[in-house]
Amino acid sequence: MSQGFRGFRVLLAFGFRAAPRQVVLLFCLGLLSVLASLGTAWGLKLLADGVIGQQLGLVVLAALAVAGLQVVGALVGQHRLNLAQMVTERTSAFIDRQLMRLSAGVSTLAHHERPDFLREMDLLREDRSRFGEMASTTLYAVQEFLHLAGTAALLATLDPRLLLLPFFAIGSLLADRRAWQRYLVALNASAELRRRKMHFFGLATSPAAGKELRVFDLGREMVARHGADGAEQLRIQARPLWNGLILQALAAVLLAAGYGGAIALVLVRALAGQVTAGDVLLAITLAAQMQDLVGELVSSGNSWLRIVKEASRYLWLADYAKQVDRGPATRAPVPDALSHGITFEHLSFTYPGTERAVLQDIDLQLQAGRVVALVGENGAGKTTLAKLLARFYEPTAGRISADGVDVRKFEVEAWRSSLSAGFQDYCQFEFLVRETVGVGDVARIEDSQAVAGALAEADAEDVPDALPRGLETQLGRVWQDGAELSGGQWQKLALGRAFMRTEPLLVILDEPTAALDAQTEHGVFERIAAASRRGQLTGTVTLLISHRFSTVRMADHIIVLHQGRVVEQGSHDDLMQKDGLYAELYELQARHYQ
């Protein structure tokens, strides 16, 4: 099955799934519109013949028929527009949800760091509104084809030679198809320029970049870069557009010649008495309709081709998600508790698309029921190690095991449901405060007591206390009655999310208090240590990544990474006695605070 046909089939199926009754009704209304149009043309023929032949009954009957069909056509046309809009909106919303499921449902993060994926995703976001038009565009094309066939059949009743008229339209179809193919090539060639334009537009209009844009006076620079890329994009697309116009003009001349020849043929036969005046009127009406239908078919065909072409991006994402999430060949249940802990065996990792190994031959034992701190300079691989534990990526070599079982044998969702995490680059969920914290355990998102308990563990009770509606306060100034928080307050809520799950097997805290002061962080870590000790029944492993050594020293076990390798490990006292890298970093920071 070709990729184009597969894309067409998938998007058309989405239309039927999103609005099945509306799609069927739209098709029926399309058929009714075709019949009304063809019936009107035939009625005009009878009307002309009745007037010339002075047949009053025929004139009255034909006039009533034409008037009635015109009313039907007008009503059907208006309802079709409304119905097509409804189908498009429902289908677009359905496809948006499919895209959200695909993008958010991929188990790893690798695709978010792949330029090819980001390019396809950006273009998908920009063009996805057209996907919803597939059902209505296809139905319009079918309707126009049936209308063209009916028109040709009526013309054949006047003179079989008039069946040649549609062949004069082939030039228009081929010209438009050729022009569109060239334009699609230009669109793909300018895809990166379009992405950059969107990026510059986002920077100039985003609140996140607003401060630096103003301090460094970058507004004009963003506008200039947007304009330069826009001009280059237009230059790339201009040539195929002009070539297409020339081809279409030549095809239009050919079609006009066919139209003129058809009318001349009927007029000659009328002067010879072989056809009636009504037949001449019918021929003129149908030939004009055929010209319009060819134009509409070309337009629908171009829209259809563009949608099918863009659908390949959706299929790329769907295939990628399917490939990544095949699941383990042999499955194992995630343990209810850890008795030994989590082990790294000869683990190495290189990010996709790069050559430098971030982690090299790591051998570690994170013992059950202990708090483990991970330290090292920036770029040592600390966050990467945490990402591998959460299975955002899979190791390039070696393995991670939980109580001796390779974690790749666990279903990703099951493994992640047994861990909790707090990150430095946390997400600012602009929900109600209760929901912003409660998403850490969606099953208990409505449980205000559970949310309050998680906030207490994170030393964050002061955040809802300072807000007008407490836990029910809407966050985000862009929403009605929404409250804005400081960076520290947002991070406290993010840390609260990490405490929503009760007795997880693994807690990952990657710089979870970077936006907080040292005293607050110390208090939070004391709670973390206490929570870890309470987790002895499940053997909870708590992995803490922090640059503050006054906090790190409280961990049961400290691991020092340097250039992707474990260079030291042990308790704070042990590492200080070794007088190695840890002691050096600790003394440097201690002197900084003196």
Side-chain angles (χ1 to χ4, degrees), residues 358-362 380-381 559-568:
V358 180
L359 296 172
Q360 303 177 59
D361 199 26
I362 301 292
I559 299 166
V560 184
L561 286 179
H562 178 65
Q563 296 182 354
R565 296 180 182 273
V566 176
V567 293
E568 295 176 334

Side-chain angles (χ1 to χ4, degrees), residues 4-16:
F5 179 74
R6 182 180 165 217
F8 160 69
R9 182 181 61 81
V10 168
L11 293 186
L12 188 61
F14 284 164
F16 276 96

Side-chain angles (χ1 to χ4, degrees), residues 344-425:
F344 296 82
E345 302 174 59
H346 303 293
L347 182 137
S348 297
F349 178 73
T350 302
Y351 279 101
T354 67
E355 296 180 358
R356 186 180 68 86
V358 180
L359 296 172
Q360 303 177 59
D361 199 26
I362 301 292
D363 285 304
L364 281 176
Q365 174 71 32
L366 309 183
Q367 293 184 11
R370 304 190 76 184
V371 178
V372 180
L374 201 57
V375 300
E377 308 101 318
N378 289 332
K382 303 184 298 297
T383 294
T384 299
L385 198 67
K387 288 179 179 179
L388 292 173
L389 272 173
R391 296 190 62 188
F392 295 149
Y393 300 89
E394 299 295 353
T396 307
R399 72 170 193 162
I400 303 172
S401 60
D403 279 356
V405 180
D406 192 327
V407 296
R408 284 174 291 198
K409 292 186 177 181
F410 303 145
E411 290 286 356
V412 174
E413 294 80 4
W415 172 246
R416 290 196 184 133
S417 68
S418 69
L419 62 85
S420 190
F423 302 102
Q424 180 180 0
D425 54 344

Side-chain angles (χ1 to χ4, degrees), residues 8 53 104 234 237 256 345 347 445 492 518 533:
F8 160 69
L234 291 176
Q237 296 175 1
E345 302 174 59
L347 182 137
I445 196 170
K492 283 186 174 184
R533 286 190 287 272

Side-chain angles (χ1 to χ4, degrees), residues 291-349:
Q291 273 193 314
D292 292 340
L293 284 171
V294 168
E296 291 173 2
L297 265 174
V298 167
S299 177
S300 295
N302 285 340
S303 297
W304 189 88
L305 285 173
R306 181 167 186 176
I307 295 169
V308 167
K309 179 67 177 178
E310 290 163 351
S312 64
R313 297 190 176 98
Y314 173 86
L315 296 177
W316 185 93
L317 176 59
D319 291 341
Y320 177 82
K322 185 177 180 181
Q323 178 183 2
V324 170
D325 295 330
R326 288 177 178 173
T330 57
R331 292 176 172 82
V334 177
D336 295 327
L338 292 175
S339 56
H340 300 293
I342 297 172
T343 306
F344 296 82
E345 302 174 59
H346 303 293
L347 182 137
S348 297
F349 178 73

